[in-house]
Amino acid sequence: MSTTFTLDTSTSRANPTPAPMKRLTVPAIRARKGGEPLVMLTAYTVRMAQLLDPHCDILLVGDSLGQVIYGLPSTIPVTLEMMCAHGAAVVRGSYHSVVIIDMPFGSYEASPEVAFATASRVLKETGAAAVKLEGGAAMAPTIRFLSERGIPVMGHVGLTPQAVNQLGGYGARGRSDAERAKIIADARAVDDAGAIGMVVEGVVEPIAVEITQAVSCPTIGIGGSAQCDGQVLVTEDMLGLFERTPRFVKRYGDMASFVSEAAAAYAAEVRARSFPTADQTYAPKS
Ligand code: KIV
């Protein structure tokens, strides 16, 4: 997919003007069960959305933005306002991918009605196509309630970071028989409730495989299995922006070194008065 750019003369910034294209739809994503693997990455900003969009099927505005963008200790403090602001930016920066937005902790768990109010606000304020929520069987009535009222919902089972205080950390799940049975029952309940897909995070691999075979909707693995119907990573982890990343992350770049080296070069040139040069300054009219 190619993207051309037009120059906004008032800001001198190049804005992508993609070839006319139809955005992928939720039914098209659901129909990918067992087919070509779904490519999903997180995006929080317009420019990152523009860069990722041509390569992805789904852009997830994850509540991981709490840690990645805001330096928060977990996803617990993330607010609905943050999700809506970043969600709208990602929709503005994308033309092809389905945009899905995480509902933040505390904004949907109390009842299906509360979840409907939150999810409808998210879709109205952002233009995204679907929401994601964490939880298994306990969230199934909510997933059904929203789905039956026109709001597509992606589930999230296994390691659910919003439950970090209950889980006691971010370790892989499903090492005991009881935990394994619970995670698989959760996945079945989310599927039966009408989820358009589900993130399967941080589980021992056979569980991710079993869930993928057991459910009718696509599974998107993160710390799951290559046999899931798709994969997701936090983009900044994948780009190597952080020194430490979880075991399931593969780094496809070294953005931390790139940024540090560029900043060091800039700082040295500013201190040596070798930036700006004639190329970056305005000459008076002759
Ligand atoms: O918040 C997030 O980025 C997520 C992904 C890790 C799946 O939920």
Side-chain angles (χ1 to χ4, degrees):
M1 196 171 310
S2 71
T3 308
T4 53
F5 290 84
T6 47
L7 195 66
D8 177 340
T9 48
S10 62
T11 63
S12 298
R13 288 190 194 282
N15 291 318
T17 48
M21 72 180 81
K22 233 176 139 247
R23 199 185 275 275
L24 278 172
T25 61
V26 165
I29 294 294
R30 213 177 185 292
R32 293 272 287 275
K33 175 76 186 173
E36 186 193 352
L38 288 161
V39 179
M40 174 158 136
L41 281 170
T42 60
Y44 318 121
T45 60
V46 68
R47 186 63 185 134
M48 195 59 91
Q50 289 167 351
L51 293 171
L52 301 177
D53 184 50
H55 309 285
C56 290
D57 302 302
I58 303 172
L59 292 177
L60 172 68
V61 185
D63 60 355
S64 50
L65 63 74
Q67 290 109 314
V68 176
I69 301 283
Y70 290 95
L72 296 168
S74 72
T75 56
I76 307 284
V78 171
T79 65
L80 191 51
E81 286 66 29
M82 289 176 187
M83 297 311 301
C84 286
H86 288 274
V90 169
V91 171
R92 283 195 293 272
S94 60
Y95 310 90
H96 161 73
S97 307
V98 168
V99 177
I100 300 183
I101 304 196
D102 260 338
M103 293 205 281
F105 177 72
S107 72
Y108 63 92
E109 300 89 333
S111 69
E113 289 79 5
V114 167
F116 185 85
T118 298
S120 55
R121 178 175 163 193
V122 167
L123 298 197
K124 279 174 194 282
E125 290 190 15
T126 66
V131 294
K132 178 166 85 58
L133 57 77
E134 295 184 10
M139 282 300 125
T142 295
I143 294 171
R144 187 178 304 284
F145 190 88
L146 299 192
S147 306
E148 287 174 349
R149 287 160 180 77
I151 300 185
V153 183
M154 176 166 277
H156 186 151
V157 299
L159 171 61
T160 47
Q162 292 179 6
V164 62
N165 291 322
Q166 200 168 38
L167 300 176
Y170 296 101
R173 315 275 304 147
R175 294 196 192 278
S176 72
D177 286 349
E179 214 170 78
R180 174 183 160 281
K182 161 104 175 67
I183 294 169
I184 290 169
D186 278 343
R188 285 185 190 278
V190 166
D191 186 42
D192 289 346
I196 58 165
M198 71 182 78
V199 169
V200 179
E201 177 167 0
V203 294
V204 293
E205 192 187 10
I207 295 184
V209 174
E210 191 172 337
I211 291 174
T212 301
Q213 288 165 355
V215 300
S216 65
C217 67
T219 58
I220 316 279
I222 174 166
S225 168
Q227 289 187 48
C228 287
D229 299 300
Q231 303 294 325
V232 60
L233 284 176
V234 169
T235 296
E236 285 73 2
D237 284 343
M238 183 273 288
L239 292 175
L241 190 62
F242 300 106
E243 279 69 31
R244 261 192 85 242
T245 49
R247 174 191 164 83
F248 56 76
V249 172
K250 178 170 174 186
R251 291 177 188 217
Y252 290 84
D254 185 4
M255 199 166 154
S257 302
F258 178 80
V259 172
S260 296
E261 283 162 23
Y266 167 74
E269 290 190 9
V270 169
R271 291 185 180 116
R273 296 194 188 282
S274 57
F275 172 84
T277 67
D279 284 347
Q280 292 96 28
T281 47
Y282 297 98
K285 273 207 176 97
S286 49

